[in-house]
Amino acid sequence: MTGADVRKDFPILQQEINGHPLVYLDNAATSQKPRPVLEAIQRYYEHDNANVHRGVHTLGARATEAYELAREKVARFINAPSPEQVVFTRGTTESLNMIAYGYARRVLQPGDEIVITPAEHHSNLIPWQQAARATGAQLKYLPLQPDGQIRLEDVRQAVTDRTKLVAIAHVSNVLGTIHPVSELAEIAHARGAVLVVDGAQSVPHQPTDVQALDCDFLAFSGHKMCGPTGIGVLYGKRHLLAEMEPTYFGGEMIDVVELYESTWKQPPWKFEGGTPIIAGAVGLGAAVDYLQSVGMENIQRHSQALAAYALERLAEIPEIEVYGPGPGVARGGLVTFNLRGVHAHDLSTVLDAHGVAIRAGHHCCQPLMRILGVPATARASFYLYNTEADIDALVTALTTAKEFFQHAIG
Ligand code: PMP
């Protein structure tokens, strides 16, 4: 059950924007929340709220149980070997920064290399830039094919004995390109490098099996997968999390504190300094339950079918240029485009007047915008509750926008 069948679960979708039914096509930025997630958060605050891992009282025990149960659900969702390999963070950005601070800065030496692509989200680029600056390591960029794909032979050439880390998005948030993670893991591991995967756009949309992917770290955000904002995940292999230093020091994460030195708890708790994001984790656990009740294969099939339909319909407007893999190539559930001669922000404003919400801008991918030779793009991104009718509404609004901007298009 996807599309129209699940829309009723999302109260926010039942509204009009500027006199039109809301057509929400900005799911790569953040997803909407189904009623079971909203209810789980409310139920937690109404019945179980207390601090975790501390209070020796009933509510404290219930809150701890709820928090740790959420960790177990997430671990099962990504097929992590154990819940202890799931660290709760604020989101993808924080997870990647924690790897950069706690792991990369410790292992990188002058002359070492970090291999990434120029299509990375700033969250999977700047932490490595900063780590390179701090350690004397260097960034090495993989070349992109015209449609945004990478070639494995280029990866084999770029990854050398100097490479300590390969960092890549599983699915690009701009181009929708899907990168071959398990092959990348094999290449990285053959050279003794560690593979960091930015799963922000993959984990919400397709089944994820960290053991099959064999990635060393995986970062993702709850808010893009029907969960609340403010909660995300850092998965890591057991020996890497053991080796990695915490980023935040304080309450909750310690074992013994002396006057001049202290020791930490075991992972994942040593990474969760301070009162953790308890209600957020409970909400994420409910989101995982919800997504699994729909089925990740169904969601993947649905998003990809909508992306294929969108490509087909956008091709009807010759003034629209689409970026990323063409029809017939597997892609994530999003389509990025421009209307010739019109800035994406202006286009988005006109679409909003028709109730259609898309994202416009550089999508936190400025180096990629330079490669594409544009300041910004428009992006329509789909999720389980979108329908072909939403894409039809997008195309109708785009046709109106085309007439509106006729002078600019020429
Ligand atoms: N990486 C990718 C590929 C993304 O799409 C995003 C969110 N736009 C992020 C990282 C950052 O996620 P967050 O803002 O939730 O930390």
Side-chain angles (χ1 to χ4, degrees):
M1 282 217 315
T2 45
D5 297 332
V6 295
R7 277 184 98 83
K8 62 179 186 327
D9 296 338
F10 293 80
I12 202 169
L13 297 177
Q14 331 294 328
Q15 64 177 301
E16 292 202 340
I17 299 285
N18 297 321
H20 298 269
L22 167 62
V23 174
Y24 186 76
L25 298 176
D26 195 15
N27 295 286
T30 201
S31 67
Q32 300 303 348
K33 323 301 171 198
R35 222 174 243 114
V37 169
L38 303 173
E39 285 167 1
I41 296 168
Q42 179 145 3
R43 201 166 46 241
Y44 167 77
Y45 277 126
E46 285 183 355
H47 295 280
D48 303 325
N49 179 52
N51 215 324
V52 295
H53 303 140
R54 302 178 181 178
V56 191
H57 55 69
T58 303
L59 288 190
R62 271 200 229 153
T64 303
E65 203 176 307
Y67 183 64
E68 294 302 331
L69 178 64
R71 197 192 305 280
E72 285 168 29
K73 287 179 181 179
V74 172
R76 274 198 299 274
F77 186 65
I78 59 170
N79 197 29
S82 81
E84 285 80 47
Q85 289 168 258
V86 169
V87 180
F88 282 129
T89 67
R90 282 197 306 126
T92 309
T93 304
E94 186 172 56
S95 300
L96 293 167
N97 274 279
M98 283 167 65
I99 305 165
Y101 275 95
Y103 177 77
R105 288 180 186 229
R106 286 188 57 239
V107 302
L108 289 171
Q109 304 281 337
D112 283 348
E113 290 173 352
I114 302 167
V115 172
I116 59 173
T117 84
E120 296 313 308
H121 188 282
H122 296 162
S123 299
N124 194 31
L125 192 160
I126 308 172
W128 312 123
Q129 261 180 9
Q130 293 295 100
R133 279 180 61 171
T135 58
Q138 280 175 358
L139 295 185
K140 199 168 173 183
Y141 284 96
L142 294 167
L144 293 182
Q145 297 308 295
D147 68 353
Q149 313 231 43
I150 53 164
R151 294 187 319 175
L152 286 177
E153 54 258 50
D154 291 328
V155 183
R156 276 187 209 100
Q157 204 164 40
V159 177
T160 69
D161 292 340
R162 285 205 297 275
T163 310
K164 290 289 177 303
L165 219 128
V166 178
I168 194 163
H170 194 167
V171 174
S172 156
N173 62 309
V174 176
L175 300 171
T177 350
I178 303 174
H179 293 129
V181 170
S182 49
E183 286 87 343
L184 294 173
E186 206 179 313
I187 297 172
H189 295 157
R191 299 290 192 161
V194 154
L195 178 68
V196 177
V197 175
D198 170 353
Q201 298 296 344
S202 60
V203 175
H205 294 276
Q206 61 192 62
T208 301
D209 180 339
V210 287
Q211 297 186 63
L213 293 173
D214 201 22
C215 55
D216 298 289
F217 291 108
L218 174 73
F220 57 99
S221 301
H223 68 94
K224 294 184 199 279
M225 50 189 282
C226 294
T229 48
I231 183 85
V233 171
L234 163 60
Y235 157 83
K237 282 192 179 157
R238 206 185 284 273
H239 69 281
L240 293 170
L241 290 180
E243 208 181 305
M244 183 166 143
E245 280 284 314
T247 306
Y248 305 112
F249 301 89
E252 292 277 309
M253 51 76 67
I254 51 86
D255 182 17
V256 179
V257 177
E258 304 285 359
L259 281 181
Y260 295 102
E261 56 191 59
S262 307
T263 54
W264 325 136
K265 281 183 180 159
Q266 293 301 309
W269 301 284
K270 74 172 181 182
F271 298 109
E272 296 177 359
T275 298
I277 314 147
I278 311 165
V282 169
L284 179 56
V288 161
D289 286 343
Y290 181 79
L291 292 175
Q292 281 178 327
S293 75
V294 178
M296 291 310 292
E297 284 90 358
N298 293 335
I299 292 173
Q300 181 178 26
R301 219 174 300 123
H302 184 72
S303 301
Q304 292 191 345
L306 288 181
Y309 181 67
L311 281 181
E312 202 179 293
R313 296 272 355 243
L314 289 178
E316 292 169 15
I317 308 175
E319 293 82 0
I320 283 190
E321 181 174 8
V322 175
Y323 307 96
V329 181
R331 58 148 66 226
L334 58 89
V335 177
T336 293
F337 57 93
N338 267 323
L339 180 61
R340 196 175 70 221
V342 179
H343 194 285
H345 281 158
D346 296 333
L347 182 62
S348 177
T349 306
V350 173
L351 295 190
D352 184 58
H354 291 82
V356 179
I358 59 156
R359 170 83 191 265
H362 55 62
H363 312 284
C364 302
C365 288
Q366 289 186 4
L368 177 60
M369 293 296 121
R370 273 177 224 118
I371 292 176
L372 297 177
V374 293
T377 70
R379 177 186 69 192
S381 52
F382 317 113
Y383 212 10
L384 67 163
Y385 37 72
N386 289 122
T387 61
E388 289 193 351
D390 288 340
I391 293 167
D392 294 338
L394 167 72
V395 173
T396 304
L398 281 171
T399 310
T400 316
K402 190 181 110 173
E403 283 155 22
F404 184 80
F405 289 117
Q406 199 60 55
H407 61 286
I409 297 168

